[in-house]
Structure formats: structure tokens, C-alpha cells
Amino acid sequence: MTSQQRVVVIGGGLAGLRLAARLGPAAQVRVIGEESHAPYNRVLLAEVLAGRYAPAVTALPDPGPVLRRGVRAVRFDRAERRVHCDDGSVETYDALVLATGSNPVLPPLRGLFTPGGRELPDGVHAFRTMDDCLALAAAVRPDLRAVVIGGGLLGVSAARALAARGAQVVLAQQAERLMERQLDADASALLHAHLASLGVEIHTHCRVRGLTTTDTATAATPAARPGHAARRVTGVELADGYRLDAGLVVLACGVRPRTGLARAAGLEVREGVVVDDRLRTGDPRVHAIGDCAEHAGRVYGLAGPALEQADALAAVLTGADATDGARGAGYTGTRALTRLTLSTAGSGPFDLAAFGEPTPLPGDDVVRLADATRRTYRKVVVRGDRLVGGVLLGELSTVGALAHGWEGDEPLDDLFHLLTDDGGH
């Protein structure tokens, strides 16, 4: 790649901006960012909602004129190598990178939309962008009854944040336990107890059927905010007929990769945009990274893998991966760790970390350490002399050392030392 080559990145999130920074002067880079906000770290939005951080704390380094803010790519032409934007502008490219991220899943709830409409009732929010976060922060108030639908990582984060703001929070989870994809039953039970201690009312095995709303539109009072209809949510209906009163509803039902542009351009899409080890799609001039990319059958949906993919693609585009015997290495996958801070003022440290394969296979060894007094739980799965997965809750001074050993696939020397409080120091 030369400095005359044009790289267009669709998506101004963590992955897209990391790639632009890594390419630097090695290419003419243009990032098309749909959001009008200055770049921010999406991982920190729950802390903004909780009131622990001001929005400015989430800011990413300003890339300057490289980033076009508030502009949406509507299609790209692979034959002409041109990206068409909603403001009528066109960007030409030598290499195109899809870093379009993901959209929140809006479940098929009765009453969520009016027939033929796509506007949410006032009081109903997704929790994905800075706009979502600021709208929620403006709407929440002490003693407001808020229902969070979804008990995964996002739902748990939202419930904790709303409780920190003084709301009366109800968390509705369809599965049998919270964060069932990351946690085993014991760890989930501890998480359940911690959220309950913060005042969160939790319902598991709980399927939401629909929303109840009331009309709010009058000639003098239009819809409460852009994208919302002239209806206000009043409650959540469960499949068993029970109704939860609600002045605020958060949809935390997961995310789905944004693949529309790739699909319309004829690229292969499964769950995400399919890429190879050089993060190329079926068109060698088009790449994909971050939440929208599917590599080796996996979509990660986490910040760590998105950043690693951006770094790997920068090496591919600049030719750095072809030096020092690393030719063709590209991206081989990420050993991703999920970490969540759940502490609030006065509650003491309570963090969560999950990685690898926390469910053992026949022949694996499992080591558990639990301390009910200190509310800590540590479980790791060992296969031979390798750490293959684990779940940790409570005060997590050991997570750094454990994660390092797991990410590096290093043989274990002293597992008990790693699991004790001073193991990471």
C-alpha cells in the first residue's frame, strides 16, 4: 500500500477508528460515521447511564478530518469502487472496510409498533448508542418503575445503571438464569443476589408478550421525541397474563450484525459478513471488521476482538504482515474475555469476568473457590496443563494473571496461587 491508495471505512466506532489510526499516513483514509456525536467508547455507556461518568469521559481520540460525522453510507458499487452516501456525496476507494457494527434486536412484542409503523412508544428505549444513553438518562428519575427486558450482559448492565439512578427496576429474563451464555448456575445465582441487593426485582423463566400503551398525541402535543410515536408505555405484559407497570422500558434483547450494505452488494453473509484470515470478503478489495464481521464461523460482538481485527487488517493493508516471516498469518481469531463492573456507591467491589469454556468436558479438571462472606466465586476449567475457561465474581484482583495465562495458552505452574487474592500481583 502507498500513501496514494484510498481506504474508505464505513463505520466510526472503535474498530473503524482504530484501523484509521493504525494506517496513519500509509494511505488516504476516509471514515464515514453515521452518528453526529464525537467518537466515543461504547463500552462505557452503562457508566454514563449510571451517572458515574460524564459523556466526555467516553471520548475517543479525535481523528480530525479523516472522519465524516453524521453521514450514512447507503450503498456501494463494487465494480466502480464507489460508496454513495445519504447526503449525495460519493467516496471512491481502492480498499473498502465495513465496520458497520450491530443494531439492537427489537423483539416482536405486541404493542411495540403500530400497524405499518416503526416508531417506538415514548418511554421505550434501546440501549446501544450515545443517543440511547442520553435519552435514558434524561427519562429516568428516582422511584420511576423501569422494566429491562433481557438478562444478558447488556440487560444486567442497564438494570444496575438504572438502579444506581434510583429507579425501581424490574429485570425480565426469558432464560432460567441471568447471563446464561457466560455464567454457570452458581455464578449466576451470586449475580442474581447482588442485583437483588441493589433493589432490582428479577424474574427468570419470564417471557414478555407485549406492551401496553396510552395515546398522548393532541393537536398541541406531538410525539414526545423523534423516532417515537404519539403513545406512551404504561406496562409490560407477560406470557402468563401477569402485567408489570412501567414508566420506562429498556429493550436489551441482544444485537444483530449490520450486514445490509454487504448483502445488497452481493457479498456472502451468514450471521455476519463472512471474511477470511486476511479479513477479506469474497471481493478482495472489500474487508469487514468488528461486530459486523464473521470469521471462522464466529461473530464476537466484543470490543477486544474488534480492536485486534483492526490491528490485523492494518498490517494486511500496509504489508506489515508479510515481514519477519509472518507472511499470510493475518487474523487467526481472538480469545475474548467478558468483563463487567457491577459495583455501585456503597456496595463495595463486585466485578464479573468470564472467558473460554466454563463448562467442562469429560476428563477436564474443575477448581472452585467460593467465599460467601466476601461474596467471591472463582471457577476455572483445566484441560491437561492448560487453562481453558473460567468464571470469576466478586473482588477480582486475580483476573489479570488468569486472563494472561489463558490468552497466551501457557502451561499452568501454580493454579492455586493464581486463584488467590494476591495471584495477580
Side-chain angles (χ1 to χ4, degrees):
M1 171 168 287
T2 70
S3 60
Q4 300 306 309
Q5 290 185 295
R6 296 161 298 183
V7 178
V8 174
V9 182
I10 303 178
L14 276 173
L17 294 179
R18 175 69 160 247
L19 175 64
R22 288 289 187 264
L23 291 176
Q28 296 180 25
V29 182
R30 182 57 59 94
V31 180
I32 301 172
E34 187 172 330
E35 294 189 59
S36 57
H37 293 283
Y40 61 91
N41 185 347
R42 200 182 307 277
V43 174
L44 299 177
L45 289 181
E47 303 306 316
V48 174
L49 179 57
R52 295 179 64 179
Y53 294 164
V57 174
T58 71
L60 295 173
D62 187 349
V66 165
L67 173 64
R68 296 185 61 196
R69 288 161 48 180
V71 177
R72 182 169 62 90
V74 294
R75 67 183 178 89
F76 61 92
D77 187 312
R78 292 163 51 197
E80 297 183 356
R81 302 206 300 269
R82 292 157 66 92
V83 178
H84 298 262
C85 302
D86 62 351
D87 63 354
S89 62
V90 176
E91 298 282 353
T92 59
Y93 66 84
D94 296 306
L96 175 65
V97 181
L98 304 177
T100 48
S102 54
N103 282 329
V105 173
L106 301 181
L109 302 179
R110 186 170 64 190
L112 184 61
F113 300 114
T114 57
R118 294 300 296 174
E119 294 180 326
L120 296 173
D122 193 47
V124 178
H125 301 257
F127 185 35
R128 181 64 181 163
T129 67
M130 180 63 78
D131 282 338
D132 295 334
C133 181
L134 296 178
L136 273 168
V140 70
R141 61 181 185 274
D143 297 325
L144 178 71
R145 189 165 174 84
V147 177
V148 178
I149 301 175
L153 179 65
L154 188 61
V156 167
S157 299
R160 189 269 300 179
L162 292 171
R165 289 284 185 126
Q168 298 178 14
V169 182
V170 180
L171 180 57
Q173 164 71 325
Q174 184 169 328
E176 66 177 349
R177 64 178 189 264
L178 300 177
M179 293 185 64
E180 79 283 1
R181 292 184 179 181
Q182 294 90 4
L183 304 184
D184 64 11
D186 291 335
S188 185
L190 276 177
L191 174 60
H192 190 293
H194 176 73
L195 289 177
S197 74
L198 301 179
V200 178
E201 179 184 328
I202 302 167
H203 298 266
T204 55
H205 289 291
C206 176
R207 187 166 66 86
V208 175
R209 180 173 61 187
L211 305 179
T212 58
T213 61
T214 185
D215 291 337
T216 59
T218 67
T221 308
R225 57 192 177 94
H228 281 59
R231 301 176 294 139
R232 168 166 283 281
V233 70
T234 58
V236 173
E237 292 183 334
L238 306 182
D240 61 6
Y242 190 73
R243 180 181 179 277
L244 301 169
D245 290 336
L248 189 68
V249 173
V250 179
L251 303 175
C253 306
V255 295
R256 182 175 292 119
R258 295 183 66 178
T259 59
L261 289 175
R263 195 183 299 275
L267 298 175
E268 183 181 4
V269 174
R270 296 174 191 162
E271 181 183 358
V273 182
V274 176
V275 296
D276 62 14
D277 287 354
R278 294 173 69 80
L279 297 162
R280 296 175 300 193
T281 67
D283 182 336
R285 291 185 178 272
V286 182
H287 305 257
I289 57 175
D291 288 6
C292 72
E294 178 178 331
H295 174 265
R298 183 172 182 183
V299 175
Y300 289 94
L302 296 169
L307 296 175
E308 286 194 18
Q309 289 172 4
D311 291 348
L313 181 55
V316 167
L317 293 177
T318 59
D321 69 326
T323 63
D324 299 327
R327 181 178 299 275
Y331 176 72
T332 57
T334 299
R335 297 170 73 86
L337 180 144
T338 298
R339 185 159 186 174
L340 179 63
T341 296
L342 291 164
S343 305
T344 57
S347 69
F350 192 86
D351 293 344
L352 176 155
F355 57 92
E357 306 172 39
T359 301
L361 299 177
D364 289 346
D365 293 316
V366 179
V367 180
R368 288 185 178 88
L369 293 178
D371 187 331
T373 302
R374 301 178 66 184
R375 296 185 307 152
T376 61
Y377 173 81
R378 299 168 188 189
K379 167 193 167 182
V380 294
V381 179
V382 179
R383 188 169 300 154
D385 64 349
R386 294 296 197 275
L387 186 64
V388 297
V391 177
L392 302 93
L393 281 88
E395 196 283 313
L396 298 185
S397 60
T398 66
V399 70
L402 285 168
H404 180 76
W406 171 70
E407 289 171 348
D409 195 27
E410 299 170 356
L412 292 170
D413 294 324
D414 188 345
L415 178 61
F416 184 79
H417 178 65
L418 288 176
L419 283 172
T420 56
D421 281 346
D422 62 350
H425 301 288

